[in-house]
Amino acid sequence: EVQLVDSGGGLVQPGGSLKLSCKVSGFSISDSAIHWVRQAPGKGLEWVGRIRSGAYNSATAFGTSVKGRFTISRDDSTNTAYLQMNSLKIEDTAVYFCSRPIPNCGSVSCPFDSWGQGTLVTVSS
Amino acid sequence: DIVMTQSPDSLAVSLGERVTVNCKSGQSIIYNGKNSLAWYQHKPGQPPKLLIYWASTRESGVPARFSGSGSGTDFTLTITSLQPEDVAVYYCQQYYATPHTFGQGTKLEIK
């Protein structure tokens, strides 16, 4: 069974840093991209970024609002992906979800069929 | 960035009635002849659920009352007969190019 468990959320001051984890089971993270999506309070879904599989050189990409502040990495030995968030702003307050694209959907980029439950990040002084 | 625009922002429909949600992309999202467009259902306290991808392919386990159509820049999610469990916010998403932008969401309620 495919499972994603995201964790690491909490309260952080503006300008601070936080690192979220996405522990997966039921598949090998080295063979899959992992995406991060967030939802601010009362707002819609926002794509944050992704890391591709090793077959695509673990390439990363990010949304406009987080580019240059967030990074994504992966530890294949523990089947865990990470979202490192630096220079946090109040508007980064959101529930953060990690997700996995459909395997072999017929394209390099695929929609997300498996999700973590989400972890809340609150940026406040 | 590819802007995804949904309409309406919200709607209230009677049980058993037909629901239509529209999504327009700011540019063509056709990849290798297929539209890189997905629909998700999102309920409070839960992660989003994938309903439709490639604009019209229903995800495994999704009820047949959900269907997707459209091509190029204009897409539609249809629920043929609204059920109580369909109350949720629905999002379209393009996965043609990063950032993989979502529409602003359409909130569906029972009339």
Side-chain angles (χ1 to χ4, degrees):
Chain A
E1 180 190 6
V2 170
Q3 281 194 321
L4 294 86
V5 178
D6 27 37
S7 62
L11 176 63
V12 59
Q13 292 188 335
S17 297
L18 202 61
K19 189 174 186 177
L20 306 184
S21 300
C22 176
K23 171 77 171 171
V24 313
S25 58
F27 68 100
S28 175
I29 204 169
S30 62
D31 296 331
S32 176
I34 292 293
H35 293 247
W36 289 90
V37 174
R38 69 183 181 183
Q39 184 179 36
K43 303 294 186 182
L45 300 175
E46 180 185 10
W47 184 83
V48 173
R50 64 98 166 111
I51 183 167
R52 280 184 163 163
S53 69
Y56 293 94
N57 295 318
S58 302
T60 58
F62 296 92
T64 304
S65 61
V66 307
K67 197 175 296 183
R69 300 187 297 123
F70 289 14
T71 59
I72 299 175
S73 61
R74 191 179 67 227
D75 184 343
D76 294 346
S77 68
T78 60
N79 247 5
T80 304
Y82 301 97
L83 177 66
Q84 176 68 49
M85 305 183 293
N86 299 328
S87 303
L88 281 162
K89 306 175 181 180
I90 290 175
E91 52 265 38
D92 293 319
T93 295
V95 174
Y96 285 74
F97 299 94
C98 62
S99 59
R100 184 198 75 160
I102 298 174
N104 305 314
C105 83
S107 171
V108 172
S109 294
C110 299
F112 318 141
D113 69 340
S114 300
W115 297 70
Q117 283 299 311
T119 185
L120 175 62
V121 173
T122 303
V123 184
S124 174
S125 55
Chain B
D1 297 6
I2 299 175
V3 176
M4 306 298 290
T5 305
Q6 291 181 227
S7 61
D9 289 336
S10 65
L11 72 165
V13 177
S14 300
L15 290 174
E17 294 298 304
R18 185 184 190 90
V19 175
T20 299
V21 180
N22 300 300
C23 175
K24 188 175 184 67
S25 60
Q27 66 180 71
S28 174
I29 52 174
I30 296 177
Y31 175 83
N32 277 359
K34 295 194 286 187
N35 294 278
S36 302
L37 190 282
W39 289 97
Y40 297 87
Q41 176 191 69
H42 195 200
K43 298 179 179 180
Q46 298 181 21
K49 176 185 177 182
L50 178 64
L51 299 175
I52 303 284
Y53 59 100
W54 295 130
S56 61
T57 300
R58 194 180 306 115
E59 169 71 335
S60 175
V62 173
R65 64 180 181 273
F66 291 92
S67 65
S69 62
S71 184
T73 61
D74 292 280
F75 304 93
T76 300
L77 173 70
T78 300
I79 308 174
T80 51
S81 176
L82 184 66
Q83 301 301 304
E85 60 268 29
D86 300 337
V87 170
V89 180
Y90 291 84
Y91 295 91
C92 62
Q93 182 205 27
Q94 63 81 17
Y95 48 95
Y96 173 81
T98 56
H100 293 321
T101 41
F102 289 89
Q104 80 276 20
T106 296
K107 186 175 184 179
L108 175 60
E109 298 174 315
I110 304 293
K111 186 187 292 183

